[in-house]
């Protein structure tokens, strides 16, 4: 069959139905791939159907049925992806859980979702679940993918993946009509059925279970796929947490609607190498990954031979000048065009190849604002990177930048079928096919978030600019006021700071206070490399962070941010008066960041209360003692003397003020 | 960890025994009349203060040093003199106190070298095999693929996929240690000798390494003899401990027994002068 015929008009209103369709229409074409023992192993769509059938019937034999929840925990693995559709074929509901959450967080989700089954990746997760089941009684059966280290484990509720599939085979052998009934059951699944519950990591309070129907996920995935003309030939790398809505749409939803093959990396550490081997055509990454890649490139270029370094910087300048206009199809002079062509051969091509981005046709980034320089860097190399704005409650797509309308400071136009409006307080509201059914067992939150007419309160403040693009400034509830009445949008300031490679995280304070102050985290890779080049000795993050030379460097960055803020009338009052560099890196294990690495400002303010106080009482140095959690869950304490640095602020240009 | 069960007991077969072994270099007596045994499947630690003769003991076991006196029995066969290569072929592998890898070669290639003693010579003999390898034909290709598969399993086991192609000289020390363990495992040894596997490691690396040692013992059933200075690690990992001091054996038994032994405490803490 041809790629063109396949797609939106094709039938199937649930994922099990799509699997059956793909198994016949795309038989023999790869559906999913995994690198195992150094070799990429693939399964075609018809093989996947066979694997899923045995798995589903095996789980049915263990007692999984309509309405039951099954938790899915682990890195991206084919068998874990199959569990989604296998569960859905029985009318059960998959509940993916963040694989790096500590036992306590996981216990909450499992208990709240009333998950009786769990499909987990390996011994690490089995241990976690066994620990959980000592206090939470809901888990009855644990199925594991990788048997390593589990030989001596005992208990009737522990099953290997292959053993469950064997159960399925035996059930089929013992009951001739079973397979038919399974297929008939798939035919009965419909679009309005619940397809998945995704727990949001939540910047505040307990995670909420977002209930999405097959229609939500499927229509959104299909429409967005049509918008970007995705077909069965795309290559996608599945490396983001399976519990995150983005992965669910890009690596599961759209793989089934568009029929493309998804590749699972060998291990989280090999992701960048696997990226290069697969060469995805459709690639999503949060800004921090693009930042990390860029930082790595820059650090490595600093160490390169002089000729290479000069070539790199020269052609980067050419790309900055000509690359984006060429990608956008705008007119560019002949000389620049020729130079860009030469650069493509000498620098951009090899660089993109090294990074695994040679074939990217559509690159998405979302989740946080991306630095304009970072964004332009990739686009100028010819990588069609675009921003989108999405939420779990919308099955990702709220807005997306259409080809040829790319602006570093917006998140694009409404996605297919989505309507947008702005509330009086500046909050963005949206409505569309992907809008969630409700929060699981939380009617109050559902009522607060979703109106009767189906409008969802995004919680983000923003506005539509004159090009019709949505621009997000901050979380609606985080936008506050300084004591002098000026608007204070902390994230806006933090993002400006974080665009410097040396600054990893920033936390701004100022709501109902006289002035704006910030906590900073330096980036250990970038500043560490600088330290190495400048013979600055250091033994730990803490030591480097307290170094006066580092302070001097960071002070220069903060000064630049102040100058830039001074030029923007709406936020010129939020110039940074004082800052300090924290003695430890903010960490999700300590609850300071969410699992998607967003800062939890309020929690941080409480935890480091003495530091906040010192920022406002005029002292130049302060002492702090902090409890830290190690990766294995043990706790220790960290104490430090922290220097506070005063900053110069700038008067906004008079003309600007008059204009306001 | 859930592997309290399956500890080797007295009934297990003795894999290696050392009887009255003495070794001296000129006038220096490195080992004096030491006897102990290693049972199949156990983790056996050799401890002692600096210069106690621990490394010399390992070198005697794998045939690098030749004791002047005493008998070593491996798999029921008594031996007096042998070459390290012969020990390797017999199933004894080791790692070194200072990492001894080929720094310019990748992790994969380093571990592949561990397969060399296990390569089938076939009908053509060594020279023929080398020629076949050079043109990468027929049996050589198949053999290479088999070897590679085994090596990949080790890479997976030790979780070092991400450094498969990295020259080991560029790796941090903790990872180099892990590669060295991988190379020793590639020999599919019956007895694995580890000379200070945790030396110079931080806490996290030590925890990882301990887990790998236990996993090797559990998964491959490999008998392990290790020298280690970190007493916490030794007491947690090993089934039985031999304590040497100035080349003599001063204690032998389970970690609990050895810990309670007065001579051991004196050796480690010093004897009060009164």
């Amino acid at each position: 069959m041809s790629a063109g015929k396949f797609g939106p008009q094709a039938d199937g209103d649930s994922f099990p139905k799509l699997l059956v369709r793909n198994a016949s229409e795309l038989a023999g074409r790869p559906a999913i791939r995994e690198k195992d023992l150094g070799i990429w192993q693939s399964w075609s769509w018809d093989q996947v159907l066979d694997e899923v059938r045995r798995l589903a019937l095996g789980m049915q034999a263990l007692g999984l049925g309509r309405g039951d929840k099954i938790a899915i925990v682990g890195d991206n693995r084919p068998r874990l992806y199959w569990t989604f559709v296998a569960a859905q074929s029985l009318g059960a509901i998959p509940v993916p859980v963040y694989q790096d959450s500590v036992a306590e967080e996981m216990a909450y989700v499992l208990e709240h979702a009333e998950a009786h089954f769990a499909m987990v990746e390996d011994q690490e997760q089995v241990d976690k679940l066994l620990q959980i089941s000592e206090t939470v009684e809901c888990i009855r059966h644990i199925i594991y993918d990788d048997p390593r280290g589990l030989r001596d484990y005992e208990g009737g509720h522990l099953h290997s993946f292959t053993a469950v599939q064997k159960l399925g085979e035996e059930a089929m052998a013992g009951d001739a009509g079973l397979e038919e009934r399974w297929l008939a059951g798939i035919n009965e699944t419909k679009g309005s059925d619940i397809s998945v519950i995704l727990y949001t990591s939540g910047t505040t309070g307990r995670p909420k279970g977002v209930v999405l129907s097959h229609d939500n996920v499927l229509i959104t995935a299909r429409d967005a796929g049509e918008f970007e003309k995705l077909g069965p030939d795309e290559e996608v790398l599945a490396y983001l947490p399976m519990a995150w809505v983005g992965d669910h749409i890009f690596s599961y939803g759209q793989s089934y609607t568009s029929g493309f093959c998804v590749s699972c990396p060998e291990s989280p550490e090999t992701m960048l190498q696997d990226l290069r081997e697969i060469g995805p055509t459709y690639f999503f990454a949060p800004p921090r990954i693009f930042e990390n890649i860029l930082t790595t490139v820059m650090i490595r270029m600093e160490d390169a031979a002089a000729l290479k370094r000069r070539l790199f910087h020269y052609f980067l300048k050419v790309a900055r000048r000509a690359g984006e206009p060429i990608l956008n199809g705008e007119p560019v002079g002949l000389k620049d065009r020729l130079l860009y062509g030469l650069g493509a051969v000498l620098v951009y091509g090899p660089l993109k190849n090294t990074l695994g981005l040679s074939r990217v046709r559509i690159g998405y980034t979302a989740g946080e604002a991306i630095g304009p320089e970072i964004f332009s860097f990739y686009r100028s190399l010819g990588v069609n990177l675009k921003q989108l704005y999405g939420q779990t409650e919308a099955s990702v797509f709220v807005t997306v930048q259409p080809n040829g309308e790319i602006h570093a400071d917006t998140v694009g136009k409404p996605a297919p079928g989505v309507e947008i409006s702005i509330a009086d307080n500046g909050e963005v509201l949206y409505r569309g096919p992907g809008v969630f059914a409700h929060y699981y067992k939380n009617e109050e939150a559902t009522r607060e978030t979703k109106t009767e007419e189906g409008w969802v309160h995004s919680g983000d403040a923003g506005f539509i600019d004159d090009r019709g693009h949505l621009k997000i400034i901050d979380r609606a509830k985080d936008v506050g006021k300084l004591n002098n009445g000026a608007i204070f949008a902390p994230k806006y300031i933090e993002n400006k700071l974080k665009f410097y490679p040396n600054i990893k995280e920033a936390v701004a304070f100022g709501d109902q206070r006289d002035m704006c102050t910030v906590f900073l985290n330096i980036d250990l890779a970038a500043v560490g490399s600088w330290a190495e080049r400048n013979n600055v000795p250091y033994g730990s993050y803490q030591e480097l962070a307290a170094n006066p030379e580092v302070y001097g460097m960071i002070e220069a960055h903060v000064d630049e941010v102040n100058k830039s803020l001074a030029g923007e009338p709406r936020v010129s009052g939020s110039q940074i008066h004082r800052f300090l560099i924290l003695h430890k890196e903010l960490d999700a294990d300590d609850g300071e960041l969410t699992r998607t690495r967003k800062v939890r400002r309020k929690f941080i303010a409480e935890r480091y209360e003495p530091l906040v106080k010192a920022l406002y009482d005029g002292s130049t140095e302060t002492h702090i003692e902090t409890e830290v959690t190690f990766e294995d869950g043990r706790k220790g304490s960290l104490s430090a003397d922290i220097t506070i640095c005063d900053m110069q602020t700038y008067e906004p240009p008079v003309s600007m003020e008059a204009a306001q | 960890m859930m592997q309290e069960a399956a500890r080797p007991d007295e009934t297990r077969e003795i894999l290696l025994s050392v009887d009255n072994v003495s070794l001296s270099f000129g006038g220096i007596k490195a080992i004096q009349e030491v006897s102990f045994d290693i049972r199949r499947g156990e983790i056996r630690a050799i401890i002692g203060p600096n210069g106690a003769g621990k490394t010399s003991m390992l070198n005697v076991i794998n045939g690098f040093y030749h004791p002047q006196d005493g008998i070593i029995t491996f798999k029921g066969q008594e031996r007096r003199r042998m070459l390290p290569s012969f020990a390797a072929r017999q199933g004894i592998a080791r790692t070194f106190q200072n990492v001894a890898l080929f720094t310019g070669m990748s992790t994969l290639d380093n571990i592949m070298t561990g397969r060399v003693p296990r390569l089938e010579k076939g009908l053509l003999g060594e020279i023929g095999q080398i020629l076949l390898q050079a043109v990468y034909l027929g049996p050589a290709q198949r053999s290479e693929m088999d070897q590679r598969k085994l090596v990949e399993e080790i890479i997976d086991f030790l979780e070092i996929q991400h450094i498969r192609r990295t020259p080991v000289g560029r790796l941090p020390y903790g990872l180099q240690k892990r590669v060295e363990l991988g190379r020793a495992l590639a020999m599919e040894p019956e007895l694995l000798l580890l000379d200070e596997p945790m030396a110079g490691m931080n806490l996290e690396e030590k925890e990882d390494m301990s887990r790998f040692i236990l996993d090797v013992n559990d998964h491959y059933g490999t008998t392990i003899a290790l020298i280690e200075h970190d007493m916490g690690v030794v007491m947690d990992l090993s089934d039985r401990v031999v304590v040497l001091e100035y080349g003599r054996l001063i204690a032998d038994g389970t970690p609990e027994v050895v810990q309670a032994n007065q001579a051991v405490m004196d050796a480690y803490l010093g004897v009060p002068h009164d």
Side-chain angles (χ1 to χ4, degrees):
Chain A
M1 57 134 275
S2 75
K5 207 183 94 194
F6 190 84
Q9 71 275 39
D11 56 342
D13 58 354
S14 76
F15 286 99
K17 284 183 190 169
L18 286 183
L19 175 60
V20 173
R21 177 199 70 175
N22 291 355
S24 72
E25 289 185 26
L26 297 172
R29 291 189 66 120
I32 196 157
R33 241 184 247 127
E34 171 186 41
K35 197 173 185 187
D36 186 36
L37 298 181
I39 297 173
W40 288 100
Q41 311 283 348
S42 10
W43 287 265
S44 64
W45 283 104
D46 43 319
Q47 285 170 323
V48 169
L49 178 63
D50 178 55
E51 296 276 355
V52 168
R53 175 169 34 221
R54 287 182 288 139
L55 172 64
L57 294 175
M59 294 198 297
Q60 194 176 38
L62 287 176
L64 186 73
R66 180 157 287 277
D68 286 339
K69 322 287 185 307
I70 175 166
I72 299 175
V73 198
D75 291 326
N76 316 64
R77 294 270 153 251
R79 286 171 165 183
L80 267 50
Y81 282 111
W82 299 338
T83 308
F84 280 96
V85 68
Q88 288 165 345
S89 75
L90 301 172
I93 301 162
V95 184
V97 183
Y98 282 95
Q99 72 273 30
D100 60 350
S101 39
V102 294
E104 188 189 314
E105 286 172 13
M106 201 177 278
Y108 172 79
V109 171
L110 296 185
E111 194 172 15
H112 187 264
E114 296 158 345
H116 296 318
F117 278 73
M119 172 70 75
V120 305
E121 188 192 359
D122 55 11
Q123 182 191 9
E124 183 189 342
Q125 307 297 349
V126 170
D127 282 344
K128 224 186 275 181
L129 283 185
L130 287 176
Q131 189 195 334
I132 289 170
S133 46
E134 282 168 16
T135 51
V136 180
E137 286 199 358
C138 59
I139 296 287
R140 291 187 204 138
H141 292 284
I142 301 172
I143 307 167
Y144 53 84
D145 175 2
D146 181 358
R148 183 178 157 197
L150 289 163
R151 215 177 42 177
D152 297 332
Y153 283 48
E154 278 165 21
H157 61 306
L158 259 182
H159 316 272
S160 74
F161 186 92
T162 41
V164 174
Q165 283 194 323
K166 202 135 187 273
L167 275 181
E169 281 162 38
E170 285 163 12
M172 275 193 284
D175 181 350
L178 185 62
E179 198 189 329
E180 281 304 312
R181 289 204 301 282
W182 181 66
L183 286 171
I186 286 180
N187 255 327
E188 277 164 33
T189 56
K190 50 186 189 298
S192 55
D193 289 349
I194 296 176
S195 76
V196 69
I197 302 179
L198 297 169
Y199 278 79
T200 57
S201 57
T203 37
T204 49
R206 289 291 198 178
K208 287 179 284 196
V210 178
V211 176
L212 297 175
S213 67
H214 283 284
D215 275 343
N216 290 154
V217 181
L218 211 147
I219 295 174
T220 310
R222 186 180 284 171
D223 287 355
E226 208 185 336
F227 180 73
E228 301 289 8
K229 300 188 178 57
L230 300 180
D233 294 325
E234 308 299 335
E235 285 291 347
V236 170
L237 189 72
Y239 69 99
L240 289 157
M242 293 178 72
W244 178 63
V245 66
D247 186 70
H248 194 67
I249 296 282
F250 302 126
S251 309
Y252 180 72
Q254 294 193 317
S255 166
Y256 279 66
T257 56
S258 298
F260 58 70
C261 176
V262 168
S263 303
C264 300
E266 190 166 22
S267 79
E269 291 80 34
T270 60
M271 181 260 172
L272 287 177
Q273 292 157 33
D274 296 329
L275 181 71
R276 191 177 169 202
E277 287 175 9
I278 291 297
T281 58
Y282 179 43
F283 180 60
F284 177 95
R288 110 189 105 82
I289 296 216
F290 287 112
E291 275 170 39
N292 286 349
I293 296 176
L294 177 59
T295 309
T296 318
V297 169
M298 289 304 178
I299 290 172
R300 276 171 62 179
M301 283 323 297
E302 289 299 328
D303 295 337
L307 177 69
K308 279 190 193 168
R309 201 167 55 225
R310 284 183 58 187
L311 265 179
F312 175 76
H313 287 298
Y314 175 76
F315 281 108
L316 218 54
K317 238 181 252 164
V318 175
R320 228 171 269 148
R321 200 163 62 224
E324 272 200 272
I326 289 174
L327 187 64
N328 293 341
E330 292 160 22
V332 174
L334 183 64
K335 185 187 159 208
D336 273 354
R337 234 173 233 284
L338 288 175
L339 274 176
Y340 188 81
L342 186 61
V345 175
L346 290 175
V347 176
Y348 322 137
L351 179 61
K352 280 196 290 183
N353 184 30
T354 307
L355 302 178
L357 301 176
S358 299
R359 299 205 293 161
V360 172
R361 199 163 64 77
I362 301 139
Y364 279 144
T365 184
E368 290 267 333
I370 187 166
E373 295 84 35
I374 297 164
F375 192 66
S376 311
F377 170 79
Y378 289 98
R379 289 195 59 80
S380 68
L381 293 183
V383 177
N384 185 19
L385 185 60
K386 314 206 273 185
Q387 296 197 72
L388 65 84
Y389 171 64
Q391 290 195 321
T392 311
E393 286 82 349
S395 309
V396 177
F397 291 94
V398 179
T399 64
V400 56
Q401 294 181 329
N403 284 336
E405 289 187 55
I406 314 290
H407 312 287
D409 57 345
T410 80
V411 290
K413 288 180 163 172
V418 177
E419 302 166 72
I420 291 203
S421 79
I422 307 289
D424 295 339
N425 64 350
E427 188 175 0
V428 177
L429 307 181
Y430 60 84
R431 171 162 87 167
V435 164
F436 72 122
H438 54 92
Y439 289 118
Y440 189 60
K441 296 200 299 189
N442 194 342
E443 276 178 42
E444 196 193 327
T446 309
R447 267 199 309 277
E448 278 171 18
T449 310
K450 193 175 153 185
T451 68
E452 305 256 312
E453 294 81 43
W455 289 99
V456 177
H457 289 266
S458 68
D460 287 322
F463 60 91
I464 309 263
D465 71 6
D466 29 0
R467 297 167 296 206
H469 281 241
L470 181 66
K471 215 169 164 176
I472 300 288
I473 353 176
D474 203 342
R475 296 290 296 168
K477 65 175 169 37
D478 288 339
V479 175
K481 281 196 159 67
L482 293 166
N483 277 348
N484 63 11
I487 182 173
F488 174 69
K491 199 157 172 192
Y492 193 72
I493 298 157
E494 289 161 9
N495 283 337
K496 272 190 185 291
L497 288 162
K498 278 163 65 179
F499 293 154
Y500 293 94
N502 289 330
I503 298 176
K504 188 164 186 190
E505 292 294 345
V507 191
F509 304 99
D511 187 26
Q512 292 163 39
R513 293 180 188 273
D514 290 334
M515 59 189 185
C516 169
T517 60
V518 290
F519 284 175
L520 295 175
N521 259 174
I522 53 170
D523 187 295
L524 196 55
V527 181
S529 157
W530 167 87
E532 208 170 287
R533 271 178 285 124
N534 291 280
N535 292 323
V536 176
Y538 68 98
S540 64
Y541 173 87
Q542 191 180 349
E543 207 177 317
L544 191 60
N547 186 295
E549 288 185 58
V550 172
Y551 255 90
M553 188 165 69
I554 299 295
E555 193 180 340
H557 295 330
V558 177
D559 189 57
E560 283 175 42
V561 169
N562 275 352
K563 278 185 191 142
S564 134
L565 285 170
E568 297 178 57
R570 277 167 64 105
V571 289
S572 63
S574 303
Q575 288 180 53
I576 298 151
H577 285 69
R578 284 158 68 80
F579 79 92
L580 60 80
I581 301 177
L582 280 175
H583 57 300
K584 76 173 272 289
E585 289 185 274
L586 297 174
D587 197 321
D589 284 346
D590 289 326
E592 295 159 339
L593 301 176
T594 65
R595 289 281 160 210
T596 46
R597 295 197 66 84
K598 293 177 187 159
V599 296
R600 298 167 88 163
R601 214 169 281 118
K602 206 166 146 198
F603 178 86
I604 294 171
E606 281 163 19
R607 185 176 161 95
Y608 297 105
E609 209 242 314
L611 293 184
V612 180
K613 203 165 145 258
L615 278 174
Y616 286 97
D617 68 7
S619 50
T620 53
E621 203 182 82
T622 184
H623 182 81
I624 178 117
E625 206 132 319
T626 323
E627 189 179 72
V628 288
T629 313
F630 297 112
E631 273 189 4
D632 60 2
R634 284 178 304 122
K635 292 186 190 302
S637 91
L638 202 65
S639 72
D641 292 308
I642 294 176
T643 312
I644 297 168
C645 190
D646 280 292
M647 293 303 305
Q648 189 191 350
T649 57
Y650 299 89
E651 282 299 311
V654 182
S655 59
M656 289 284 224
E657 202 141 16
Q660 206 186 16
Chain B
M1 291 260 148
M2 298 191 71
Q3 36 201 11
E4 299 309 326
R7 281 290 169 221
D9 47 50
E10 297 293 302
T11 61
R12 289 231 182 169
E13 170 203 355
I14 291 173
L15 182 64
L16 176 117
S17 75
V18 176
D19 288 314
N20 270 313
V21 163
S22 298
L23 171 76
S24 53
F25 303 103
I28 299 164
K29 289 177 178 162
I31 300 173
Q32 301 180 54
E33 294 166 10
V34 169
S35 304
F36 65 93
D37 59 34
I38 299 175
R39 290 179 187 275
R40 197 175 279 279
E42 76 173 337
I43 299 182
R44 188 74 147 122
I46 303 173
I47 66 170
N50 285 333
K54 303 181 296 290
T55 300
S56 299
M57 195 67 238
L58 282 200
N59 284 334
V60 165
I61 292 175
N62 85 330
F64 190 63
Y65 291 160
H66 308 293
Q68 281 80 8
D69 212 357
I71 299 164
I72 293 170
T73 319
F74 181 62
K75 291 198 280 186
Q77 269 193 319
E78 186 183 309
R79 61 160 164 97
R80 274 166 202 271
R81 269 187 99 81
M82 67 154 61
L83 292 169
S85 63
F86 188 69
R89 262 168 241 244
Q90 280 221 313
I92 302 179
R94 73 169 293 180
T95 65
F96 297 87
Q97 199 168 339
N98 310 311
V99 176
L101 291 164
F102 303 102
T103 48
M105 276 160 51
S106 69
T107 297
L108 178 69
D109 289 340
N110 266 285
I111 299 178
M112 282 294 262
T113 60
R115 294 301 301 160
V116 171
R118 292 267 163 190
L119 280 179
E120 297 267 338
K121 289 207 191 62
L123 295 169
L124 297 162
E126 207 147 341
I127 302 293
Q129 197 63 33
I130 290 169
L131 284 175
L132 268 184
Q133 291 284 356
V135 291
Y136 197 60
L137 275 179
Q141 191 178 6
R142 264 198 309 282
S143 153
E144 169 101 5
M145 280 160 78
D146 291 343
Q147 307 303 339
R148 174 71 188 272
K149 182 155 189 298
L150 201 130
V151 168
E152 283 292 346
E153 273 161 18
I154 291 167
I155 289 178
D156 182 62
F157 183 84
L158 295 174
E159 296 168 12
I160 45 177
Q161 299 97 332
H162 60 296
I163 52 165
R164 189 185 278 127
R165 302 274 176 202
T166 315
V168 295
R170 288 204 342 231
L171 296 176
Y173 186 71
L175 278 178
Q176 291 195 6
K177 283 278 207 190
R178 221 190 280 180
V179 175
E180 204 187 24
L181 176 62
R183 184 179 62 184
L185 284 180
M187 291 169 61
E188 297 178 276
E190 285 182 70
L191 175 61
L192 176 61
L193 310 175
L194 304 176
D195 197 349
E196 299 202 24
M198 327 267 175
M201 287 193 174
N202 64 30
L203 181 68
E204 200 181 328
E205 290 170 333
K206 278 185 185 175
E207 284 176 352
D208 280 350
M209 189 52 106
S210 302
R211 211 190 78 223
F212 286 123
I213 291 173
L214 285 170
D215 281 355
V216 166
N217 179 245
D218 182 56
H219 184 88
Y220 293 103
T222 312
T223 310
I224 296 171
L226 61 94
I227 294 177
E228 184 49 55
H229 276 297
D230 185 321
M231 281 307 121
V233 168
V234 168
M235 297 302 163
D236 282 352
L237 288 186
S238 33
D239 300 299
R240 291 191 301 157
V241 183
V242 174
V243 191
L244 300 179
E245 189 193 18
Y246 301 119
R248 287 181 188 282
L249 187 141
I250 57 167
D252 183 3
T254 62
E256 298 76 37
V257 169
V258 166
Q259 258 173 319
N261 185 304
Q262 189 59 45
V264 176
M265 284 192 245
D266 292 345
Y268 271 89
L269 301 174
V271 185
H273 300 276
D274 55 9

